[in-house]
Amino acid sequence: MQIQMYQLSRLLHDYHRDLYNHLEEHEIGPSLYAAPWFLTMFASQFPLGFVARVFDMLFLQGSEAIFKVALSLLGSHKPLILQHENLETIVDFIKSTLPNLGLVQMEKTISQVFEMDIAKQLQAYEVEYHVLQDELIDSSLNDNQRLDKLEKANSSLRKQNFDLLEELQVANGKIQNLEATVELLLTNEGKLKQSILTLEQERASLLKAVEEMRKKIGGTDGKPLLTRQEHMDAF
């Protein structure tokens, strides 16, 4: 939840800077108004019909849809939110008045959600959050603790590097085996093609010899050579 609140705050900074500054000026973080949205998928405060549409988008797009809906709602109500000048009235408006969506506003919100693409930003802000947390932890450590942490991180990276090298060697061995198998299959394919060609040539020679024998046998009594079917018909 802390990561999601940070991501929403950064997205609000990117898409609606004036609204972000207004909320920051009154020390209103996303956790004061958006936590119930994320915990209940908007079901705690919004109409059931809207919640059903949110669930449709959630199944279609994943958790990214919740951020899009939140951004769209805040952005569409930005002029009204900016009119309030203290923490209590702003939070009360977002929690009480904003959820009372009409049908037109609901459809507008849904349409905006399908037009937004924030996947890369969400990923970047999650990494950014972890980096900031690590920096906060580092700032509270003394030199010995920081050195110990770096040594542990270095040891972990060495182990990961060793594991990756082993995986790489195994992968290279598999690649060599596959290349040898492919080469063998190609050789066998060439041999089979040559065998087929030889058999086709032998077949053509045999057919030609049979035809010549038929002509010779048929020419001894002045009658053409009967075929097997013609012999059967004669009986």
Side-chain angles (χ1 to χ4, degrees):
M1 179 59 66
Q2 290 178 344
I3 296 173
Q4 290 176 333
M5 294 299 98
Y6 178 80
Q7 289 171 311
L8 180 59
S9 177
R10 295 289 283 110
L11 289 169
L12 195 61
H13 177 273
D14 291 345
Y15 285 88
H16 306 289
R17 181 71 62 86
D18 49 350
L19 179 58
Y20 170 84
N21 292 334
H22 186 68
L23 295 175
E24 284 293 307
E25 181 182 348
H26 294 87
E27 299 181 352
I28 301 175
S31 57
L32 289 178
Y33 57 86
W37 298 353
F38 283 79
L39 290 172
T40 67
M41 310 302 160
F42 298 90
S44 62
Q45 298 170 340
F46 288 78
L48 183 60
F50 179 76
V51 175
R53 298 296 297 276
V54 171
F55 269 82
D56 288 340
M57 292 182 290
L58 183 64
F59 291 133
L60 182 64
Q61 301 182 359
S63 60
E64 179 182 337
I66 306 175
F67 291 94
K68 294 180 179 180
V69 173
L71 276 178
S72 177
L73 289 171
L74 292 170
S76 60
H77 291 83
K78 178 169 62 176
L80 297 175
I81 296 175
L82 292 176
Q83 291 178 5
H84 297 278
E85 293 295 338
N86 61 72
L87 184 149
E88 290 79 9
T89 57
I90 293 174
V91 174
D92 181 67
F93 176 84
I94 296 176
K95 287 186 174 181
S96 303
T97 305
L98 188 148
N100 296 323
L101 297 175
L103 182 61
V104 175
Q105 184 62 49
M106 185 188 304
E107 292 301 324
K108 180 181 178 181
T109 300
I110 301 302
S111 298
Q112 289 177 346
V113 167
F114 283 106
E115 294 173 359
M116 298 172 66
D117 183 11
I118 58 175
K120 292 182 179 179
Q121 290 165 285
L122 287 175
Q123 185 177 7
Y125 295 151
E126 181 175 357
V127 173
E128 185 177 280
Y129 175 85
H130 288 298
V131 171
L132 291 174
Q133 292 299 308
D134 289 340
E135 290 179 353
L136 287 174
I137 294 174
D138 288 342
S139 63
S140 63
L141 300 176
N142 58 39
D143 292 340
N144 290 333
Q145 290 174 321
R146 191 174 293 109
L147 180 61
D148 183 60
K149 182 180 179 182
L150 289 173
E151 287 177 348
K152 290 180 179 179
N154 187 38
S155 176
S156 177
L157 289 173
R158 285 183 177 179
K159 185 179 182 303
Q160 292 178 14
N161 187 39
F162 181 76
D163 292 340
L164 288 173
L165 285 174
E166 286 187 337
E167 292 178 6
L168 182 60
Q169 289 175 351
V170 172
N172 285 333
K174 290 181 178 179
I175 291 173
Q176 291 176 356
N177 290 336
L178 288 173
E179 288 177 345
T181 302
V182 170
E183 185 177 356
L184 179 61
L185 289 173
L186 290 174
T187 302
N188 291 338
E189 182 186 12
K191 291 179 180 179
L192 287 173
K193 287 181 177 180
Q194 185 61 40
S195 298
I196 291 171
L197 180 61
T198 302
L199 290 172
E200 288 179 345
Q201 292 174 347
E202 291 179 358
R203 179 177 177 275
S205 298
L206 290 172
L207 289 175
K208 184 177 180 181
V210 169
E211 185 65 25
E212 291 177 352
M213 290 177 65
R214 283 180 176 174
K215 291 180 180 179
K216 290 179 179 179
I217 296 173
T220 57
D221 56 1
K223 296 180 180 179
L225 184 64
L226 296 177
T227 64
R228 182 179 179 184
Q229 184 64 38
E230 289 172 337
H231 277 294
M232 291 178 66
D233 293 341
F235 286 104

